[in-house]
């Protein structure tokens, strides 16, 4: 990814190619979405947004990508080239609205070399997280007191104590000096691939279509995704995987066909089912390989199991 052109489309294409070459299944590219690309390798599922200037990433986009990521146990990740007029540095993790941000070169190091960044940027500069247990263990092995180690590292005794008890982060120069003194790696890699916390769980049942909510599904409407909503049966059910859901919304057949292509693409990469919920009375059970269930059919069902059974029967349609 050297000599990366300053054009977002080129960056996305190069990232897609990089991931595909290194064992990831990747989705199509979705320009007008809170994510541009979905990628999976084994248990790791990434929802990726790519921007030249990461300051263009809005709080609304962040909230939506987190909501989708939580639903699929995925990790949201923002890849960009610069913030304001400053180039994002290699092997440094930044943050926007609670989403980790890295440069394309950092992504390449992770995917190709399995080199994970340890330095993160925050107000006031760059920091690392120290493994306090390792510091204490190596200090005691070398028969160093807190003050002995503090004097060697040019910090206070209290600072060493805080490092050992995990109460404070360190500046990289101090951490690297401690590593030299203790002859042991003491820094921790930044956790880039966490699943967002469940802070918006209360929103799960407020969405449309109401028929699914009444049947016992949790529904989350989305505004900046290639689908209209996410529907999920309660966790106590046999099958609790979320469904990618598209609604009719007076769309014509051409639009529905395009949406079906998107649903099929995303469901294949994410590993979940997709469904159209249609209002009309037409005898349609499938659109381009995506099952169709009509609102009136849902109204006659007694529980989510009946819905999932119908979905399974129509999944193999042509």
């Amino acid at each position: 990814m050297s000599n990366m052109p300053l054009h977002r489309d080129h960056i996305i294409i190069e990232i897609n190619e990089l991931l595909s070459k290194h064992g990831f299944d990747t989705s199509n590219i979705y320009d007008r979405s809170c994510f541009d690309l979905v990628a999976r390798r084994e248990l790791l599922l990434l929802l990726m947004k790519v921007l030249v200037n990461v300051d263009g990433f809005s709080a609304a986009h962040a909230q939506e990508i987190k909501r989708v990521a939580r639903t699929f146990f995925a990790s949201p990740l923002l890849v960009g080239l610069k913030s304001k007029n400053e180039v994002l540095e290699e092997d440094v993790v930044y943050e926007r609205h609670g989403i980790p941000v890295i440069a394309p070169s950092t992504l390449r190091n992770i995917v190709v070399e399995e080199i994970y960044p340890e330095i993160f940027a925050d107000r006031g500069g760059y920091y690392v997280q120290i493994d306090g247990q390792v510091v204490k263990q190596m200090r005691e092995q070398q028969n160093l007191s807190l003050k002995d180690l503090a004097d060697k590292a040019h910090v206070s005794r209290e600072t060493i104590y805080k490092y050992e008890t995990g109460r404070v982060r360190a500046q990289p120069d101090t951490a690297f000096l401690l590593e030299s003194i203790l002859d042991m790696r003491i820094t921790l890699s930044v956790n880039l691939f966490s699943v967002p916390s469940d802070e918006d769980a209360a929103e799960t049942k407020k969405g449309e279509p109401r028929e699914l909510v009444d049947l016992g599904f949790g529904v989350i409407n989305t505004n900046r995704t290639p689908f209209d909503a996410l529907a999920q049966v309660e966790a106590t059910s046999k099958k609790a995987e979320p469904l990618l859901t598209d609604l009719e919304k007076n769309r014509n057949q051409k639009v529905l066909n395009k949406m079906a292509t998107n649903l099929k693409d995303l469901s294949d990469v994410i590993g979940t089912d997709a469904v159209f919920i249609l209002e009309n009375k037409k005898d349609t059970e499938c659109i381009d390989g995506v099952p169709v269930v009509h609102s009136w059919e849902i109204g006659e069902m007694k529980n989510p199991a009946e819905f999932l059974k119908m979905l399974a029967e129509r999944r193999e349609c042509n």
Side-chain angles (χ1 to χ4, degrees):
M1 287 194 179
S2 58
N3 302 317
M4 180 74 72
L6 289 177
H7 196 288
R8 181 171 168 274
D9 292 344
H10 293 143
I11 303 170
I12 297 173
I13 290 169
E14 290 204 16
I15 287 174
N16 197 348
E17 291 175 352
L18 170 75
L19 295 172
S20 296
K21 286 178 182 176
H22 290 86
F24 282 84
D25 292 325
T26 60
S27 72
N28 296 333
I29 294 167
Y30 297 98
D31 285 335
R32 295 172 184 163
S33 172
C34 63
F35 57 83
D36 296 308
L37 183 69
V38 177
R40 178 186 283 282
R41 186 169 68 183
E42 297 175 352
L43 296 178
L44 176 62
L45 180 62
L46 298 176
L47 299 182
M48 305 184 70
K49 186 70 181 176
V50 178
L51 294 170
V52 171
N53 190 326
V54 298
D55 295 326
F57 187 63
S58 70
H61 276 87
Q63 184 180 31
E64 185 128 289
I65 197 173
K66 282 189 219 176
R67 198 175 300 144
V68 175
R70 274 192 294 277
T71 304
F72 290 112
F73 298 102
S75 304
L77 185 63
L78 179 57
V79 180
L81 296 185
K82 64 181 181 178
S83 170
K84 299 183 176 69
N85 294 318
E86 295 182 4
V87 174
L88 301 188
E89 294 194 35
E90 186 173 348
D91 294 332
V92 175
V93 179
Y94 304 80
E95 182 265 343
R96 287 294 179 278
H97 306 297
I99 307 292
V101 180
I102 58 174
S105 55
T106 306
L107 179 65
R108 186 191 182 284
N109 292 341
I110 294 169
V111 172
V112 179
E113 309 290 343
E114 294 189 4
I115 297 173
Y116 290 83
E118 299 174 2
I119 300 172
F120 58 92
D122 203 351
R123 292 177 184 174
Y126 296 135
Y127 302 93
V128 295
Q129 197 67 42
I130 284 180
D131 189 332
Q133 289 185 332
V134 172
V135 173
K136 184 176 182 180
Q137 179 184 355
M138 297 309 298
R139 176 178 64 77
E140 291 176 347
Q141 280 186 16
Q142 297 181 28
N143 294 315
L144 296 171
S145 68
L146 287 169
K147 186 177 186 308
D148 292 336
L149 184 56
D151 289 343
K152 287 175 177 285
H154 312 300
V155 295
S156 69
R157 178 185 179 282
E158 183 184 13
T159 297
I160 296 296
Y161 176 74
K162 286 181 177 178
Y163 289 160
E164 291 188 355
T165 54
R167 297 183 185 182
V168 70
R169 57 198 182 181
Q171 293 185 330
D173 289 348
T174 303
F176 300 150
L177 177 57
L178 281 169
E179 287 185 334
S180 175
I181 295 167
L182 299 173
D183 195 26
M184 176 68 69
R185 180 186 167 188
I186 64 169
T187 53
L188 298 170
S189 298
V190 180
N191 184 8
L192 276 174
F193 302 137
S194 61
V195 176
S197 61
D198 202 19
E199 61 194 30
D200 292 335
E203 298 182 23
T204 303
K205 289 209 173 209
K206 293 182 181 178
E208 299 290 345
R210 295 302 309 172
E211 295 90 350
L212 283 182
V213 176
D214 294 341
L215 192 60
F217 283 84
V219 176
I220 300 172
N221 287 124
T222 58
N223 300 312
R224 302 170 182 86
T225 59
F227 44 84
D228 293 324
L230 298 169
Q232 188 169 26
V233 189
E234 297 301 326
T236 52
S237 168
K238 265 188 177 178
K239 175 164 182 168
E241 291 91 345
L243 299 170
L244 299 170
T245 307
D246 266 341
L247 312 176
E248 186 169 0
K249 295 186 175 180
N250 295 317
R251 290 161 172 154
N252 62 40
Q253 193 62 43
K254 184 177 179 181
V255 172
L256 291 175
N257 288 345
K258 183 174 181 181
M259 296 185 80
T261 300
N262 294 341
L263 285 181
K264 195 81 170 61
D265 170 56
L266 288 169
S267 65
D268 286 346
V269 177
I270 293 172
T272 193
D273 286 330
V275 62
F276 277 102
I277 307 296
L278 299 187
E279 301 286 342
N280 63 43
K281 299 274 187 179
K282 290 181 183 176
D283 186 21
T284 305
E285 295 190 352
C286 164
I287 300 175
D288 290 350
V290 177
V292 171
V293 179
H294 299 270
S295 298
W296 63 268
E297 292 177 304
I298 301 174
E300 295 178 353
M301 296 176 183
K302 296 178 182 177
N303 53 55
E306 291 186 21
F307 180 91
L308 295 175
K309 181 181 177 183
M310 180 175 287
L311 201 62
E313 291 170 352
R314 297 180 179 178
R315 191 179 298 127
E316 302 301 325
C317 59
N318 295 312

